[in-house]
Amino acid sequence: MRTYLCRKENKLSAVLCNCCKKELLVENGILKEECITFSHDFGYFSDRDGESQEFDLCEECYAKITAGFGIPAETRQRMELL
Ligand SMILES: [Zn+2]
């Protein structure tokens, strides 16, 4: 969950993990800690058609949730780290 100092300039005031409520490190409006953001627009074949949801997870919660997957998340190593 994100709160902004200035939404237009994308300047953050705080980022909380939606799962454990941990406050992630934000300095000068910039997120300085790993945060996994999910954003989804539900479509026509969903009971939530027309609804959009977004949430943030800290790296620990992401690891716990994906560890419960029946099929592991597809992982690839990026060669270019920008
Ligand atoms: Zn968390």
Side-chain angles (χ1 to χ4, degrees):
M1 187 213 70
R2 293 166 183 242
T3 55
Y4 292 87
L5 293 168
C6 178
R7 182 83 192 204
K8 259 198 242 171
E9 295 174 18
N10 213 23
K11 256 190 151 177
L12 294 161
S13 59
V15 179
L16 299 176
C17 172
N18 281 75
C19 188
C20 71
K21 301 180 184 175
K22 173 186 171 187
E23 185 165 358
L24 303 179
L25 180 63
V26 172
E27 284 180 352
N28 300 319
I30 297 167
L31 180 63
K32 299 261 181 126
E33 190 171 350
E34 188 68 18
C35 175
I36 297 90
T37 302
F38 290 88
S39 178
H40 186 72
D41 298 325
F42 289 90
Y44 182 75
F45 298 105
S46 168
D47 291 338
R48 297 172 182 251
D49 184 22
E51 188 176 313
S52 296
Q53 286 193 351
E54 186 172 304
F55 58 90
D56 297 298
L57 296 174
C58 70
E59 200 166 3
E60 292 81 16
C61 287
Y62 176 82
K64 283 182 204 163
I65 290 168
T66 56
F69 284 2
I71 298 170
E74 192 172 311
T75 303
R76 63 184 181 284
Q77 296 300 317
R78 288 176 285 140
M79 301 308 284
E80 297 172 19
L81 300 176
L82 300 176

